[in-house]
Amino acid sequence: MSHLLSVSDLHVGFGKDPVANEVVHGIGFTLDPGETLAIVGESGSGKSVTALSVNRLVDFGGGKITGGRIDFTLGSGAVIDLAAAPEKELAAIRGREIGMIFQEPMTSLNPVHAIGEQIAESFRLHHGLTGKQAMRAAIDALERVRIPDAARRLKYHPHQLSGGMLQRVMIATALSCNPRLLIADEPTTALDVTVQAQILALLSELKRESEMGLVFITHDIGLVAGIADKVMVMQNGKAVEQGRPMRCSMIRSIPIRSIF
Amino acid sequence: MGRPRFKNLVSAVAVAAALGAAFPATAATLNMAWSQDATGLDPHKQTAFSSLRLLELVYEPLVRTDSDLNIAPAVATSWEFSEDGQTLTFKLDADAKFSNGNKVMTSDVKASFERILNEETGASARANFLSIESIDTPDDETVVFNLSQPDVPLLTAMSSINAAILPAGLIEAGMIGTETLGSGPFVLDSWEPNSREVLSVNENWAGGAVGVDGINISVLPDETAILAALRTDQVDFALINDPLVATLVPSNPNLSLNREPVLNYHVLQLNAEEGAMTEEKVRQAISCAIDRQDVLDAALLGEGKVTGPLTMPAYASDPSDLLCYAPDLEKAKALMAEAGYEDGFSASVIAATGEPPTAAAEAQVIQSQLAEIGIDLEIEMMELNVYIDRWLKGDFDMAVALNGGRTDPYTMYNRYWTKDGNLAHVAHYGDDMLDSLMQQGRVETDPEKRKEIFAEFSKHITDVSPWIWLYTGYSYTAANDKVSGFEANPTGSLFGLSAVTVGE
Amino acid sequence: MTLLRSIFAHPSGRIGGTIVALYLIIAIMGLVGLTPHDPLMQFRIDRLHAPSATYWMGTDLLGRDVASRLMIGIAQSFIVSFASVALATVLGIVLGLTAAWFGSYWDGTIMRAMDVLLAFPAILLALLIITIVGPGTWTSVMAIAFVYTPIFTRVVRGPALSLKTREFVDAARTFGSSRTYILSRHMLLNLVAPLTVQVTLALAWALLTEAGLSFLGLGTQPPQASLGLMLSEARNLMEMAPWLLVFPAFAIMIGILGFNLLGDALRDILDPRSRGAVA
Amino acid sequence: MNYLTRRLVTFPVVMLGVSVLVFVSIRLVPGDAITAMLGTEAGLLTPAQRASLETYFGMDQSWFGQYWHWLGGVLQGNLGISVTYGRPVLDVILRVFPLTLELALLSMIVALAVGLPAGVYAATHAERPSDLIVRIVAMVGQSTPSFVVALLAIYALSVWFGVLPAMGTFTPLWEDPLKNLAQMILPALTLGFAFAAAVTRISRSAMLDILSDDYIRTARAKGVPARSVIWHHALPNALIPVVTVSGVEFGYLLGGAVIVEQVFALPGLGRTVLDAILQRDYALVQGACCSSRLIS
């Protein structure tokens, strides 16, 4: 049974000569449905770039995949190498098959549109729902992420909601089409501790409900134990450690410098 | 400043707009353009060329000057001086009517001239009529002017639109200037200043049938735009001031250009009361140093004719025998040396931007010509009204000017060269000979003698040369092939439009 | 001179920089007199000649060499633009800083005065100054400066207000530095970036206004030459002598293009916020 | 809310300042309504004639008296009588005002219609040759004096195409929209062209900033197609800086309008003010200047 996602020998570079200034040097990992992989590393270790390479968002940031494969099993069972796929195909996969949430909820939602509108947009895009049905679905999505009184909140604009609330909206949007894989790029870093715990609990609950694969990127080793089935530690663009969480070697591999 | 009643003027505008009386309405409407718009509607007060051109179509003076500059009938059919020249009698045209149908009465003539003479009105041409002591109207067809002394030029002064005959009723109501009611060939339907005038035919005009149904005049300040409008048949007829634009008209097959020599003269006025130019020899040196034909060729592309002080054909003499009309640099340098200015002096010249359009070019050519005899000239270009303000105060060393010409030498120059002339301080010069010649010219009734007097005047003034007379330009009218029958007039008057027809 | 190197590294900076440098050289040559012919000399027999070997850009109505006049024209337009923008910058800095630093009362009056100036249509304000004082180079400089000062005042006051509250200014105060020292040393240095950008854009705008004023007959006075005056003189000769219009028009266009490109480059180089953004 | 109240309080003060500045400066200009009307013939006036004309033009009172009289009039909505038009200043302004307003609005529309797409195109193709071409064309637009563009437009149209917008007169929109637009298109394009260049550059830099913002990345992560990422997500946010700058530029449009109205012979507010100054029509200059302040 092929994995949901298997990344092998991934190389990613930036700027005019991506090969010369390469940031990710030969990363490889696999993920099965319902499984959570935590990617840990200090900032600048290439973990976010790896995450962004999976759904090729790195191309928009001036980056380029220079080597390796990213095999992803679609809902239809077909396997596709995302690294080589043309942008047209990728656009169809993003949102429908692969969802993503980011670190800064405050700036990750369009300030000019109401949140209801932004959620409904995914439904319209991938399920062809019309205005009224899409709004109905948006309300369900918000309730699914435990946002009270969802109907009234539809008309709110991002600046009218708290960070935690916004992150829930992000999750609702990302999961609106029941993607098979969710990439979470440090979703809780910008939130204070109490809200952090709620979001983590929410993520693990949702993961259990839908057999969804989760790639969880963080620099906070403490979080990994609670949520991750597998861990990969990255440093300077390379994977220095992979395996079950809580293996003592794991801790040694975090360079001392990062603690201070 | 009471609120002038302009209701019917506004309603006329609304009617014209609603009718869409804009061009090309009926084929017989003449679409015309000029660059400077009239600045007012009161014929007694207005002096700007553009205002006179408009008012000459609406109002009529007692007599008119035809294209050969002879006096022709207008409101009056006949006129004669008495033996002793102390009275001037006019016989009015029986069927002369105002555009509202009322007959032109002798009382209207009397009221009009009383308005001109009354200082309250501020009529600009008042100085020309000071010899009128009283006006009698023995019957309803004759008007007799009793004069304090013989005044031959009075007749020509009466031919100017500044002596237009207004309805007495309108004068009492004080409505001159906001309403127009004249006895001329056209009626002013509407006037949007700086934008457009609409004229229609005055059926009651005593001068016979008018060739067109009406005239739409557009004001296009930029003359290149006028040329473009002519080429695209947006207008059929146009007045052009700038010779540089006028010479481009013939390049289009269907456009024809009409050049008409005018009386207005281009002149370099000197200030003979201050500095080096108090020396007569220095002024003569300047006259000899300036190559008039070269200035004409450079600044106006040769569009004009070198002239002496008198520009009207009747009195104009061949300028070549006047002092230094053939440029003579050696003589100029010699004169400068004799006057003790062999290494020259510096002075400034004022000129108005764009009025005439060639002023800047003329000033620069004169500057380079005078540099050859050591005169370091600094040019001061200024906005027209600032220039006029300084010109009226005589506050200049030199001035590039385009002054108005008249059909009679006396009315043309009495303001500058007579002892009590209003603008003597602007002329910056005066001597007894000029004054006496002027007075003799005024009273002399025999045309031959008058010619001799003014020829001598013209000889003497160029010798003394307080001013350097340069050349006269042309007034240009351009028309496309649809327009026929226009006869230009040296006074620049557009009265000829009354005889024009607009074909298909 | 790292600034120069980074300017020439920047794509539009390279083009803009070379154009402005070229213009400066031409202007200096014009002023010094290194022109093919004497710009004021009227060869009236060669009037309105098309561009030829002797007259590279042809001759004008009075037979003067257009190429030489163009060189002193560029010099004149540069002088008017630089002087007016410099004056406007100085006025802007003084007014902007006083408004920002002293606040409330000063701020109110100065900004209201600026509103009044800004309320005027630009050409009209220049026209009034020029008609009162009389046309000429220095009056055009004053007129353009007068119109541009409010903009500079705002450009200075904005950042100055925010800088005033920043820590390093308080820190400087704790060191006991005097007010003028703080104003000049700290504030100004931080304003250099927005100011330089505004200056280059203002130069482009000043060139345009000078041309507009000359078109209305209120700019530089004959026989002197400025790009705007040459354009307005060529207006009626457009058909007979197109070269009279084409060369000055291109000169102005490329000149302003140079300033704008330089301004863009400087904004990207100096403005920290957008340092990362793609140029 | 305090921005609005501050604006309301300062507005009359600024207007007062403008009116005083205009009042004094127009009177400092040498030459007056009499020389403007009579030209050199004004020298022939006898003192009595001059005095009567001065009362007619209201120039005999002291400056302070004239200003006080004018201010009093304004409060009752009477801006005085224009000497050149022989009509109340208010009527004259109301007749010429729509033209300039329409010209300014049309040029703004032209500028946004041309500038925005060009800016967006340049931003989305950043650093590729097409981006440089768009920027150069925008720069050229911004660096050509409007009267040169106007003159060339008139020459080209009249000589090569034999067609020309109606000049001299103005047919208001409500009277004959077809003719009005035919007349206003070319002037609006000329005035709008330079302004479009400015809009292009502003929208380009705004778009560049926005395209690197987080919510655009989110939109892409949602699988939103590229085209609607630009038009639905990025552009609305880019409009904010474009609109604010256009507001400021609107004031400059009036300056530009003077020259375009002169060359295309359109009797608008810009040209009326210019002629009023040349004619020394004090009341009209005063009224027109203050009203041009209203629209900017």
Side-chain angles (χ1 to χ4, degrees):
Chain A
M1 209 276 287
S2 64
H3 300 288
L4 169 63
L5 172 72
S6 96
V7 172
S8 46
D9 191 23
L10 178 69
H11 292 266
V12 180
F14 275 84
K16 293 217 170 20
D17 181 357
V19 177
N21 31 48
E22 199 174 79
V23 171
V24 169
H25 318 295
I27 286 287
F29 60 87
T30 62
L31 184 71
D32 294 327
E35 206 181 28
T36 301
L37 164 69
I39 303 181
V40 183
E42 61 193 35
S43 55
S45 59
K47 57 184 186 311
S48 288
V49 170
T50 312
L52 287 172
S53 317
V54 169
N55 59 5
R56 291 281 295 281
L57 280 184
V58 73
D59 302 0
F60 295 98
K64 195 164 182 320
I65 296 175
T66 49
R69 293 176 57 83
I70 306 176
D71 295 317
F72 180 74
T73 322
L74 293 172
S76 61
V79 177
I80 173 172
D81 174 10
L82 295 176
E87 172 56 25
K88 229 167 85 44
E89 267 179 57
L90 286 169
I93 292 172
R94 286 194 208 108
R96 180 200 296 275
E97 304 274 349
I98 304 177
M100 191 159 187
I101 51 177
F102 300 95
Q103 178 174 344
E104 284 293 339
M106 298 303 280
T107 56
S108 297
L109 283 168
N110 193 324
V112 177
H113 298 306
I115 57 167
E117 217 297 297
Q118 299 192 43
I119 301 173
E121 185 177 23
S122 338
F123 287 112
R124 273 205 304 276
L125 271 173
H126 297 300
H127 295 292
L129 297 182
T130 58
K132 211 159 211 32
Q133 293 163 326
M135 277 307 169
R136 198 72 217 97
I139 294 174
D140 299 343
L142 286 179
E143 272 150 12
R144 194 168 158 210
V145 290
R146 307 328 180 259
I147 290 187
D149 189 0
R152 192 163 57 78
R153 291 258 164 74
L154 280 187
K155 292 186 269 330
Y156 276 35
H157 280 267
H159 63 278
Q160 293 166 297
L161 297 174
S162 69
M165 199 60 80
L166 284 173
Q167 195 61 305
R168 288 170 189 271
V169 169
M170 285 297 295
I171 294 168
T173 331
L175 302 187
S176 56
C177 308
N178 303 321
R180 290 166 54 72
L181 168 67
L182 176 66
I183 305 171
D185 183 358
E186 303 200 46
T188 55
T189 312
L191 306 177
D192 51 40
V193 178
T194 52
V195 178
Q196 215 174 47
Q198 291 164 5
I199 298 294
L200 286 176
L202 176 63
L203 276 178
S204 38
E205 244 174 76
L206 292 170
K207 191 192 71 171
R208 262 197 310 285
E209 280 167 17
S210 61
E211 276 299 305
M212 172 181 72
L214 173 63
V215 173
F216 189 91
I217 292 118
T218 179
H219 63 274
D220 175 354
I221 191 82
L223 296 180
V224 167
I227 192 162
D229 305 326
K230 287 196 287 185
V231 177
M232 179 168 81
V233 176
M234 283 186 66
Q235 197 183 2
N236 302 337
K238 284 195 278 302
V240 292
E241 198 59 52
Q242 271 202 6
R244 311 299 306 160
M246 284 321 291
R247 285 227 331 257
C248 47
S249 58
M250 194 68 57
I251 300 167
R252 259 203 330 287
S253 63
I254 307 292
I256 308 304
R257 185 162 44 74
S258 75
I259 292 170
F260 290 106
Chain B
M1 273 203 299
R3 264 176 61 83
R5 238 175 3 89
F6 60 91
K7 262 186 280 320
N8 48 21
L9 195 64
V10 171
S11 58
V13 171
V15 163
L19 272 175
F23 34 83
T26 55
T29 312
L30 177 73
N31 296 318
M32 182 181 139
W34 57 26
S35 59
Q36 277 155 345
D37 191 18
T39 50
L41 297 177
D42 183 339
H44 291 168
K45 285 187 181 166
Q46 280 303 319
T47 55
F49 299 139
S50 47
S51 311
L52 303 184
R53 295 298 87 77
L54 178 66
L55 296 168
E56 275 152 1
L57 301 174
V58 177
Y59 286 98
E60 267 188 333
L62 281 175
V63 284
R64 178 175 297 109
T65 21
D66 63 20
S67 39
D68 314 327
L69 291 182
N70 304 324
I71 303 293
V75 170
T77 49
S78 69
W79 53 90
E80 56 171 348
F81 277 102
S82 61
E83 278 322 309
D84 57 6
Q86 295 277 31
T87 61
L88 177 55
T89 317
F90 287 91
K91 275 270 180 292
L92 297 192
D93 179 347
D95 45 22
K97 291 195 187 65
F98 288 106
S99 53
N100 61 3
N102 303 353
K103 192 170 176 321
V104 177
M105 310 293 291
T106 49
S107 52
D108 299 322
V109 174
K110 189 169 168 48
S112 299
F113 278 92
E114 270 154 8
R115 180 171 189 259
I116 294 171
L117 290 169
N118 168 2
E119 289 192 87
E120 280 299 311
T121 343
S124 52
R126 179 172 175 279
N128 301 334
F129 301 102
L130 296 179
S131 60
I132 299 175
E133 264 174 353
S134 65
I135 307 170
D136 309 334
T137 52
D139 55 46
D140 61 8
E141 259 194 6
T142 39
V143 180
V144 178
F145 291 89
N146 307 319
L147 310 181
S148 55
Q149 61 163 72
D151 186 355
V152 171
L154 182 64
L155 193 56
T156 39
M158 286 192 172
S159 72
S160 134
I161 198 68
N162 282 140
I165 303 304
L166 311 176
L170 211 62
I171 297 177
E172 271 111 40
M175 282 301 116
I176 312 285
T178 49
E179 279 181 36
T180 55
L181 181 56
S183 58
F186 293 96
V187 170
L188 180 62
D189 288 347
S190 77
W191 175 40
E192 287 163 47
N194 292 325
S195 163
R196 189 160 161 233
E197 283 93 11
V198 176
L199 299 158
S200 58
V201 175
N202 167 15
E203 282 82 14
N204 309 319
W205 185 46
V210 174
V212 288
D213 292 350
I215 304 180
N216 294 327
I217 309 176
S218 307
V219 178
L220 308 180
D222 190 54
E223 299 218 327
T224 39
I226 293 182
L227 187 58
L230 278 167
R231 285 177 171 151
T232 55
D233 274 351
Q234 200 178 102
V235 287
D236 317 317
F237 185 84
L239 231 62
I240 297 178
N241 292 336
D242 190 338
L244 306 182
V245 175
T247 43
L248 293 173
V249 169
S251 66
N252 277 65
N254 62 348
L255 294 181
S256 59
L257 182 70
N258 183 301
R259 279 188 186 76
E260 186 60 38
V262 283
L263 303 174
N264 305 339
Y265 54 96
H266 291 256
V267 65
L268 177 69
Q269 295 181 217
L270 309 180
N271 180 346
E273 287 167 335
E274 276 157 28
M277 284 178 280
T278 40
E279 292 293 332
E280 186 176 286
K281 287 199 170 13
V282 167
R283 295 198 303 271
Q284 288 168 338
I286 292 174
S287 177
C288 297
I290 288 184
D291 178 344
R292 293 165 170 77
Q293 188 59 45
D294 190 23
V295 179
L296 177 60
D297 292 342
L300 280 82
L301 298 181
E303 287 287 316
K305 179 158 63 55
V306 173
T307 170
L310 302 178
T311 57
M312 63 296 287
Y315 294 86
S317 56
D318 172 4
S320 52
D321 54 20
L322 295 173
L323 171 80
C324 267
Y325 263 70
D328 183 345
L329 217 48
E330 291 325 315
K331 184 174 178 195
K333 286 191 177 119
L335 283 165
M336 287 291 275
E338 275 165 47
Y341 283 90
E342 53 278 5
D343 41 27
F345 57 94
S346 62
S348 76
V349 60
I350 65 171
T353 321
E355 183 51 47
T358 54
E362 287 170 27
Q364 291 171 76
V365 175
I366 290 169
Q367 178 190 47
S368 87
Q369 287 182 353
L370 291 185
E372 267 140 44
I373 56 166
I375 298 178
D376 169 18
L377 207 55
E378 187 227 342
I379 300 176
E380 280 180 68
M381 298 301 298
M382 49 191 71
E383 185 257 325
L384 179 60
N385 284 311
V386 176
Y387 167 86
I388 291 173
D389 189 64
R390 295 234 347 229
W391 187 88
L392 284 175
K393 296 189 180 99
D395 167 15
F396 53 80
D397 297 344
M398 297 188 193
V400 169
L402 170 61
N403 293 341
R406 296 287 186 288
T407 40
D408 185 289
Y410 178 78
T411 36
M412 183 167 171
Y413 284 123
N414 71 327
R415 59 188 68 174
Y416 299 114
W417 309 113
T418 51
K419 278 274 180 292
D420 52 10
N422 310 69
L423 299 176
H425 64 285
V426 174
H428 285 303
Y429 182 83
D431 65 22
D432 303 339
M433 184 162 175
L434 288 178
D435 183 60
S436 70
L437 281 171
M438 268 285 137
Q439 297 312 343
Q440 288 169 30
R442 183 179 189 193
V443 296
E444 180 49 61
T445 48
D446 168 7
E448 278 320 310
K449 284 216 183 62
R450 268 189 118 226
K451 270 211 183 78
E452 278 154 31
I453 295 170
F454 285 113
E456 198 187 332
F457 164 84
S458 147
K459 177 88 185 67
H460 175 65
I461 200 161
T462 39
D463 291 347
V464 174
S465 76
W467 291 0
I468 317 291
W469 276 267
L470 300 170
Y471 37 76
T472 51
Y474 296 118
S475 84
Y476 301 98
T477 51
N480 60 25
D481 38 31
K482 288 198 283 184
V483 177
S484 56
F486 176 71
E487 212 186 303
N489 183 311
T491 62
S493 156
L494 291 178
F495 181 74
L497 284 178
S498 54
V500 151
T501 54
V502 181
E504 234 333 280
Chain C
M1 271 307 111
T2 56
L3 183 64
L4 266 187
R5 219 178 306 111
S6 50
I7 287 181
F8 278 93
H10 188 282
S12 52
R14 200 173 309 122
I15 309 168
T18 27
I19 293 177
V20 171
L22 203 66
Y23 267 56
L24 282 179
I25 298 163
I26 295 176
I28 294 159
M29 277 169 64
L31 287 178
V32 155
L34 286 168
T35 54
H37 301 272
D38 166 1
L40 299 180
M41 176 60 74
Q42 297 173 5
F43 310 97
R44 283 197 289 282
I45 26 169
D46 296 341
R47 274 199 309 278
L48 290 178
H49 274 209
S52 60
T54 42
Y55 304 106
W56 301 334
M57 293 183 185
T59 59
D60 67 6
L61 181 66
L62 306 179
R64 291 170 297 198
D65 175 42
V66 173
S68 328
R69 275 180 73 75
L70 201 63
M71 292 170 83
I72 58 166
I74 290 176
Q76 173 74 12
S77 294
F78 259 45
I79 293 169
V80 168
S81 311
F82 274 103
S84 54
V85 168
L87 184 60
T89 317
V90 166
L91 283 175
I93 290 176
V94 166
L95 290 173
L97 284 184
T98 20
W101 186 261
F102 296 106
S104 72
Y105 171 69
W106 279 98
D107 189 10
T109 32
I110 291 180
M111 290 325 283
R112 289 301 71 65
M114 290 306 122
D115 281 350
V116 167
L117 277 183
L118 261 183
F120 252 59
I123 299 270
L124 197 62
L125 185 65
L127 192 100
L128 284 178
I129 297 169
I130 286 171
T131 14
I132 298 168
V133 182
T137 315
W138 297 113
T139 31
S140 330
V141 166
M142 218 169 60
I144 298 176
F146 218 49
V147 165
Y148 223 82
T149 308
I151 296 154
F152 271 96
T153 316
R154 284 211 177 132
V155 164
V156 167
R157 174 172 171 276
L161 268 180
S162 60
L163 283 171
K164 190 171 100 169
T165 54
R166 290 274 288 282
E167 303 75 20
F168 68 83
V169 171
D170 301 340
R173 275 206 186 104
T174 52
F175 298 154
S177 8
S178 70
R179 181 184 331 116
T180 40
Y181 177 79
I182 294 177
L183 275 185
S184 53
R185 275 288 275 110
H186 290 277
M187 290 284 207
L188 269 193
L189 284 182
N190 285 280
L191 293 176
V192 161
L195 268 181
T196 25
V197 171
Q198 197 62 40
V199 162
T200 39
L201 298 181
L203 284 173
W205 188 80
L207 267 176
L208 266 179
T209 315
E210 195 273 332
L213 287 180
S214 304
F215 180 72
L216 297 174
L218 301 161
T220 327
Q221 290 312 301
Q224 244 305 337
S226 83
L227 297 180
L229 186 60
M230 289 172 81
L231 270 180
S232 51
E233 277 166 358
R235 193 167 74 166
N236 291 340
L237 293 160
M238 200 163 51
E239 285 181 48
M240 263 187 274
W243 58 87
L244 288 180
L245 190 76
V246 164
F247 290 113
F250 267 109
I252 286 190
M253 225 188 282
I254 294 165
I256 293 172
L257 196 65
F259 280 132
N260 279 336
L261 285 176
L262 193 59
D264 274 1
L266 282 175
R267 182 181 49 225
D268 292 346
I269 294 162
L270 292 174
D271 192 346
R273 191 180 54 78
S274 66
R275 190 182 300 272
V278 170
Chain D
M1 254 324 279
N2 77 347
Y3 173 75
L4 205 59
T5 41
R6 196 165 57 76
R7 199 87 169 75
L8 281 179
V9 162
T10 57
F11 188 78
V13 171
V14 166
M15 286 300 289
L16 213 63
V18 167
S19 64
V20 169
L21 193 63
V22 167
F23 185 86
V24 170
S25 46
I26 186 79
R27 278 162 180 74
L28 286 177
V29 175
D32 53 33
I34 297 176
T35 52
M37 185 173 92
L38 298 177
T40 49
E41 306 279 326
L44 301 180
L45 295 174
T46 60
Q49 284 180 310
R50 188 165 185 80
S52 76
L53 281 176
E54 271 173 4
T55 38
Y56 173 74
F57 288 120
M59 297 194 304
D60 44 2
Q61 300 146 0
S62 71
W63 278 14
F64 186 73
Q66 287 177 31
Y67 186 73
W68 197 249
H69 174 68
W70 177 77
L71 206 56
V74 166
L75 298 182
Q76 307 134 13
N78 151 20
L79 293 175
I81 305 293
S82 147
V83 277
T84 41
Y85 287 73
R87 285 198 228 145
V89 166
L90 204 55
D91 291 5
V92 174
I93 291 179
L94 290 179
R95 198 170 52 75
V96 293
F97 193 77
L99 184 139
T100 302
L101 196 61
E102 186 187 343
L103 182 61
L105 286 176
L106 273 182
S107 332
M108 180 87 103
I109 293 165
V110 162
L112 293 176
V114 170
L116 262 179
V120 167
Y121 177 80
T124 46
H125 297 71
E127 272 329 294
R128 261 175 275 161
S130 51
D131 171 31
L132 213 57
I133 296 166
V134 166
R135 280 175 57 207
I136 299 287
V137 167
M139 297 266 181
V140 165
Q142 205 166 10
S143 31
T144 340
S146 48
F147 63 88
V148 171
V149 173
L151 286 175
L152 293 179
I154 287 190
Y155 175 73
L157 272 177
S158 59
V159 171
W160 296 334
F161 303 102
V163 76
L164 200 64
M167 290 194 283
T169 61
F170 173 61
T171 359
L173 201 59
W174 51 87
E175 251 169 51
D176 180 348
L178 215 283
K179 214 144 84 75
N180 169 283
L181 286 181
Q183 178 176 22
M184 294 298 279
I185 285 299
L186 192 59
L189 279 174
T190 321
L191 195 56
F193 188 50
F195 192 19
V199 168
T200 311
R201 289 185 52 230
I202 298 157
S203 47
R204 178 180 174 281
S205 58
M207 280 298 281
L208 277 181
D209 286 349
I210 288 162
L211 285 177
S212 55
D213 274 351
D214 292 350
Y215 54 86
I216 296 296
R217 196 179 48 187
T218 318
R220 289 202 175 105
K222 282 198 307 194
V224 170
R227 215 169 18 75
S228 73
V229 167
I230 303 283
W231 292 100
H232 181 62
H233 283 279
L235 197 58
N237 290 284
L239 281 184
I240 301 162
V242 170
V243 167
T244 36
V245 172
S246 322
V248 171
E249 288 282 326
F250 196 74
Y252 284 105
L253 265 184
L254 294 171
V258 175
I259 292 184
V260 166
E261 282 172 18
Q262 181 89 350
V263 174
F264 285 101
L266 296 172
L269 186 65
R271 206 176 113 215
T272 312
V273 169
L274 190 64
D275 289 337
I277 290 179
L278 300 183
Q279 296 286 338
R280 302 299 189 273
D281 186 339
Y282 295 147
L284 184 55
V285 172
Q286 194 81 21
C289 272
C290 299
S291 53
S292 68
R293 171 71 182 82
L294 285 178
I295 31 179
S296 62

